[in-house]
Amino acid sequence: MPAVKRSVGSATLTALFCLAALGHPNAYAGGRGGEGNENTGPKPRGDATHDGTLSATAGAVVFNRSKNGSGESTGPVAAAPGTWTPPACYYAPRYTPAQMRQYKESIWGVESTGYQWDAKQRDTYVDGHPYKDFNEAKAGKGYWWDSYVTEGREGDPAASTCAEDNFWVDTGAAPPANISQAITPEMLAQLAYAEMRVPSTKVDLAPAGTTKVNLPTWAWLDTAKFKPVSVTASVPLLDVTATTTAQPVSLRIDPGTADAQTYPASGVCEMTGDRIGEAYAKGRAEETPPCGVRYLRSSGDDSYALRATLTWKIHWTGTGIPEPRDLPDGTFGVGQDVVVQEIQSVNR
């Protein structure tokens, strides 16, 4: 949309009600920057369910979450701060010619944007400079594209960078070269990254819950919970798709106090085969745990907040990209309380 300031008075409200009255039965989250989130455009092929595995949650983009992490304590993976974020906005198909006519004429009809702007819009989309009658002669041969704001990024200044007005793209054709934020498989992969959820990283400890000063405490993960997870994002109208996959690779132990020694010294327990760390077994009291911690001071009447953070290696494949390509590693961690008591001797 051009840089036009619209009043927020009764005329604008009337325009919004007119848009709602167009009656397109499908509304999806993610919308035109500054104009709300209702998508009155064409419905993506395929049905959306309500079980959280398949849904249209970002306008033209459909997410398949059937291979995502599950359980009570899942959470999003996060790249290192300041290194990378998914796109805040993008361009994708939205309107057929008939829908575009309804959308534009409903705005012009309430005269909330001013005669000069409306006249320029009519010249662009109706009078043939460059479009004639909303491209109705091309019905079924393409779509009007629009800008979408990524869900959750509505207040991000980066979302305002998709400021181009609606433009037409023929089926099978590339968007105009000047539209750098037109949706691509790589952008879909980045959007899928933000939708991934991985299991909780609460570790098993021995001793569990309460340990002793200078006693090596073993830590390990139930690796059965930590299989690769993936989310697929697609734009069905374009037959473009991308799948982003996360594979666990290492676990970082933060004891919650500087008065502690980690095993290994780096605090990072690498994944070996299909496991991270080893479960403690009777008779191994004199061994150094491959993954764990030794507290050097009592927690007194309180506890230490041990935090276990799992690092996930992330890659994607997509339309025209059969070989995996890397995205930034992601992390997810949770804390758990550990009570450390002072004793004179320990027997196992």
Side-chain angles (χ1 to χ4, degrees), residues 108-342:
W108 304 337
V110 295
E111 300 179 352
S112 63
T113 50
Y115 172 80
Q116 184 175 1
W117 186 81
D118 290 352
K120 183 177 180 181
Q121 287 271 293
R122 287 190 177 94
D123 184 62
T124 298
Y125 295 107
V126 180
D127 298 336
H129 304 101
Y131 304 112
K132 180 72 173 176
D133 293 329
F134 299 100
N135 265 5
E136 287 185 346
K138 288 190 171 185
K141 299 179 181 178
Y143 288 101
W144 288 102
W145 285 41
D146 201 357
S147 62
Y148 292 82
V149 175
T150 303
E151 186 176 15
R153 304 287 295 280
E154 292 82 0
D156 190 329
S160 65
T161 60
C162 294
E164 295 291 334
D165 208 350
N166 304 91
F167 55 91
W168 178 267
V169 179
D170 289 335
T171 300
N178 65 306
I179 306 297
S180 62
Q181 291 153 297
I183 197 72
T184 63
E186 183 172 9
M187 292 172 69
L188 285 173
Q190 295 169 350
L191 293 171
Y193 186 117
E195 294 295 317
M196 287 195 303
R197 298 295 181 267
V198 295
S200 167
T201 56
K202 184 175 182 179
V203 294
D204 292 307
L205 299 173
T210 300
T211 187
K212 312 300 180 184
V213 173
N214 288 321
L215 176 66
T217 300
W218 293 55
W220 68 95
L221 280 174
D222 179 0
T223 54
K225 299 178 182 178
F226 295 93
K227 304 300 182 184
V229 301
S230 66
V231 171
T232 297
S234 62
V235 180
L237 290 171
L238 299 177
D239 291 325
V240 176
T241 186
T243 297
T244 301
T245 302
Q247 170 76 48
V249 291
S250 64
L251 177 75
R252 175 178 290 276
I253 299 291
D254 179 355
T257 174
D259 294 315
Q261 175 186 351
T262 56
Y263 303 101
S266 65
V268 177
C269 307
E270 300 291 342
M271 192 163 189
T272 304
D274 61 352
R275 59 186 173 84
I276 296 179
E278 294 182 18
Y280 174 76
K282 187 175 181 180
R284 305 186 70 178
E286 302 303 320
E287 296 182 27
T288 298
C291 183
V293 60
R294 181 167 65 94
Y295 287 97
L296 307 178
R297 188 184 298 272
S298 167
S299 59
D301 295 330
D302 203 349
S303 60
Y304 293 125
L306 181 146
R307 186 171 183 83
T309 301
L310 198 61
T311 295
W312 297 74
K313 186 74 174 175
I314 300 177
H315 67 268
W316 69 278
T317 58
T319 302
I321 311 293
E323 297 299 321
R325 293 190 179 182
D326 290 338
L327 285 171
D329 291 350
T331 60
F332 178 63
V334 296
Q336 57 197 93
D337 294 333
V338 179
V339 175
V340 181
Q341 298 175 340
E342 184 81 55

